PDB file of all heavy atoms in Angstrom:
ATOM      1  N   ASN A  11      -8.394 -20.651  57.964  1.00 78.00           N
ATOM      2  CA  ASN A  11      -7.426 -20.612  56.854  1.00 78.00           C
ATOM      3  C   ASN A  11      -8.047 -20.823  55.482  1.00 78.00           C
ATOM      4  O   ASN A  11      -7.373 -21.290  54.567  1.00 78.00           O
ATOM      5  CB  ASN A  11      -6.316 -21.638  57.062  1.00 78.00           C
ATOM      6  CG  ASN A  11      -5.272 -21.140  58.014  1.00 78.00           C
ATOM      7  OD1 ASN A  11      -5.105 -19.939  58.205  1.00 78.00           O
ATOM      8  ND2 ASN A  11      -4.575 -22.060  58.635  1.00 78.00           N
ATOM      9  N   ASP A  12      -9.307 -20.514  55.306  1.00 82.00           N
ATOM     10  CA  ASP A  12      -9.925 -20.683  53.996  1.00 82.00           C
ATOM     11  C   ASP A  12     -11.067 -19.691  53.830  1.00 82.00           C
ATOM     12  O   ASP A  12     -11.605 -19.171  54.800  1.00 82.00           O
ATOM     13  CB  ASP A  12     -10.445 -22.105  53.811  1.00 82.00           C
ATOM     14  CG  ASP A  12     -10.539 -22.497  52.340  1.00 82.00           C
ATOM     15  OD1 ASP A  12     -10.185 -21.673  51.472  1.00 82.00           O
ATOM     16  OD2 ASP A  12     -10.964 -23.627  52.060  1.00 82.00           O
ATOM     17  N   VAL A  13     -11.400 -19.440  52.584  1.00 85.00           N
ATOM     18  CA  VAL A  13     -12.538 -18.600  52.233  1.00 85.00           C
ATOM     19  C   VAL A  13     -13.137 -19.195  50.967  1.00 85.00           C
ATOM     20  O   VAL A  13     -12.430 -19.778  50.154  1.00 85.00           O
ATOM     21  CB  VAL A  13     -12.129 -17.120  52.014  1.00 85.00           C
ATOM     22  CG1 VAL A  13     -11.162 -16.974  50.866  1.00 85.00           C
ATOM     23  CG2 VAL A  13     -13.348 -16.244  51.807  1.00 85.00           C
ATOM     24  N   SER A  14     -14.443 -19.057  50.827  1.00 90.00           N
ATOM     25  CA  SER A  14     -15.118 -19.584  49.645  1.00 90.00           C
ATOM     26  C   SER A  14     -16.161 -18.574  49.184  1.00 90.00           C
ATOM     27  O   SER A  14     -16.919 -18.044  49.993  1.00 90.00           O
ATOM     28  CB  SER A  14     -15.784 -20.916  49.983  1.00 90.00           C
ATOM     29  OG  SER A  14     -16.493 -21.402  48.883  1.00 90.00           O
ATOM     30  N   VAL A  15     -16.185 -18.322  47.890  1.00 92.00           N
ATOM     31  CA  VAL A  15     -17.178 -17.440  47.285  1.00 92.00           C
ATOM     32  C   VAL A  15     -17.744 -18.164  46.070  1.00 92.00           C
ATOM     33  O   VAL A  15     -16.986 -18.713  45.265  1.00 92.00           O
ATOM     34  CB  VAL A  15     -16.562 -16.092  46.847  1.00 92.00           C
ATOM     35  CG1 VAL A  15     -17.577 -15.236  46.117  1.00 92.00           C
ATOM     36  CG2 VAL A  15     -15.992 -15.345  48.035  1.00 92.00           C
ATOM     37  N   SER A  16     -19.055 -18.179  45.965  1.00 95.00           N
ATOM     38  CA  SER A  16     -19.695 -18.809  44.817  1.00 95.00           C
ATOM     39  C   SER A  16     -20.228 -17.740  43.876  1.00 95.00           C
ATOM     40  O   SER A  16     -20.737 -16.708  44.317  1.00 95.00           O
ATOM     41  CB  SER A  16     -20.848 -19.702  45.266  1.00 95.00           C
ATOM     42  OG  SER A  16     -20.360 -20.780  46.013  1.00 95.00           O
ATOM     43  N   ALA A  17     -20.106 -17.996  42.600  1.00 95.00           N
ATOM     44  CA  ALA A  17     -20.644 -17.111  41.571  1.00 95.00           C
ATOM     45  C   ALA A  17     -21.557 -17.942  40.682  1.00 95.00           C
ATOM     46  O   ALA A  17     -21.250 -19.087  40.376  1.00 95.00           O
ATOM     47  CB  ALA A  17     -19.516 -16.499  40.748  1.00 95.00           C
ATOM     48  N   SER A  18     -22.683 -17.368  40.295  1.00 96.00           N
ATOM     49  CA  SER A  18     -23.570 -18.080  39.372  1.00 96.00           C
ATOM     50  C   SER A  18     -24.026 -17.113  38.286  1.00 96.00           C
ATOM     51  O   SER A  18     -24.203 -15.917  38.526  1.00 96.00           O
ATOM     52  CB  SER A  18     -24.769 -18.681  40.102  1.00 96.00           C
ATOM     53  OG  SER A  18     -25.550 -17.677  40.692  1.00 96.00           O
ATOM     54  N   VAL A  19     -24.200 -17.660  37.102  1.00 96.00           N
ATOM     55  CA  VAL A  19     -24.640 -16.871  35.956  1.00 96.00           C
ATOM     56  C   VAL A  19     -25.553 -17.750  35.116  1.00 96.00           C
ATOM     57  O   VAL A  19     -25.324 -18.946  34.981  1.00 96.00           O
ATOM     58  CB  VAL A  19     -23.440 -16.335  35.136  1.00 96.00           C
ATOM     59  CG1 VAL A  19     -22.606 -17.448  34.567  1.00 96.00           C
ATOM     60  CG2 VAL A  19     -23.894 -15.391  34.048  1.00 96.00           C
ATOM     61  N   THR A  20     -26.621 -17.148  34.604  1.00 96.00           N
ATOM     62  CA  THR A  20     -27.545 -17.877  33.754  1.00 96.00           C
ATOM     63  C   THR A  20     -27.246 -17.533  32.300  1.00 96.00           C
ATOM     64  O   THR A  20     -27.167 -16.359  31.942  1.00 96.00           O
ATOM     65  CB  THR A  20     -29.007 -17.523  34.093  1.00 96.00           C
ATOM     66  OG1 THR A  20     -29.240 -17.854  35.465  1.00 96.00           O
ATOM     67  CG2 THR A  20     -29.980 -18.284  33.214  1.00 96.00           C
ATOM     68  N   ILE A  21     -27.060 -18.570  31.493  1.00 95.00           N
ATOM     69  CA  ILE A  21     -26.818 -18.360  30.065  1.00 95.00           C
ATOM     70  C   ILE A  21     -27.998 -18.925  29.290  1.00 95.00           C
ATOM     71  O   ILE A  21     -28.639 -19.887  29.718  1.00 95.00           O
ATOM     72  CB  ILE A  21     -25.488 -18.982  29.605  1.00 95.00           C
ATOM     73  CG1 ILE A  21     -25.467 -20.483  29.865  1.00 95.00           C
ATOM     74  CG2 ILE A  21     -24.319 -18.319  30.288  1.00 95.00           C
ATOM     75  CD1 ILE A  21     -24.281 -21.172  29.234  1.00 95.00           C
ATOM     76  N   THR A  22     -28.288 -18.310  28.165  1.00 96.00           N
ATOM     77  CA  THR A  22     -29.411 -18.725  27.318  1.00 96.00           C
ATOM     78  C   THR A  22     -28.916 -18.946  25.902  1.00 96.00           C
ATOM     79  O   THR A  22     -28.164 -18.130  25.370  1.00 96.00           O
ATOM     80  CB  THR A  22     -30.512 -17.647  27.315  1.00 96.00           C
ATOM     81  OG1 THR A  22     -30.940 -17.431  28.667  1.00 96.00           O
ATOM     82  CG2 THR A  22     -31.696 -18.060  26.473  1.00 96.00           C
ATOM     83  N   ASN A  23     -29.350 -20.029  25.298  1.00 96.00           N
ATOM     84  CA  ASN A  23     -29.034 -20.300  23.901  1.00 96.00           C
ATOM     85  C   ASN A  23     -30.038 -19.522  23.050  1.00 96.00           C
ATOM     86  O   ASN A  23     -31.203 -19.869  22.971  1.00 96.00           O
ATOM     87  CB  ASN A  23     -29.123 -21.798  23.602  1.00 96.00           C
ATOM     88  CG  ASN A  23     -28.768 -22.121  22.158  1.00 96.00           C
ATOM     89  OD1 ASN A  23     -28.641 -21.236  21.318  1.00 96.00           O
ATOM     90  ND2 ASN A  23     -28.619 -23.397  21.873  1.00 96.00           N
ATOM     91  N   THR A  24     -29.579 -18.464  22.422  1.00 95.00           N
ATOM     92  CA  THR A  24     -30.443 -17.632  21.580  1.00 95.00           C
ATOM     93  C   THR A  24     -30.384 -18.059  20.114  1.00 95.00           C
ATOM     94  O   THR A  24     -31.031 -17.451  19.274  1.00 95.00           O
ATOM     95  CB  THR A  24     -30.053 -16.146  21.691  1.00 95.00           C
ATOM     96  OG1 THR A  24     -28.693 -15.996  21.276  1.00 95.00           O
ATOM     97  CG2 THR A  24     -30.225 -15.644  23.116  1.00 95.00           C
ATOM     98  N   GLY A  25     -29.626 -19.100  19.836  1.00 94.00           N
ATOM     99  CA  GLY A  25     -29.494 -19.585  18.457  1.00 94.00           C
ATOM    100  C   GLY A  25     -30.595 -20.565  18.094  1.00 94.00           C
ATOM    101  O   GLY A  25     -31.527 -20.821  18.862  1.00 94.00           O
ATOM    102  N   SER A  26     -30.451 -21.152  16.906  1.00 96.00           N
ATOM    103  CA  SER A  26     -31.465 -22.071  16.400  1.00 96.00           C
ATOM    104  C   SER A  26     -31.026 -23.532  16.467  1.00 96.00           C
ATOM    105  O   SER A  26     -31.772 -24.416  16.057  1.00 96.00           O
ATOM    106  CB  SER A  26     -31.819 -21.706  14.957  1.00 96.00           C
ATOM    107  OG  SER A  26     -30.663 -21.780  14.141  1.00 96.00           O
TER     108      SER A  26
END
Side-chain angles (χ1 to χ4, degrees):
N11 280 337
D12 204 1
V13 62
S14 177
V15 175
S16 294
S18 62
V19 62
T20 301
I21 59 171
T22 302
N23 181 349
T24 59
S26 59

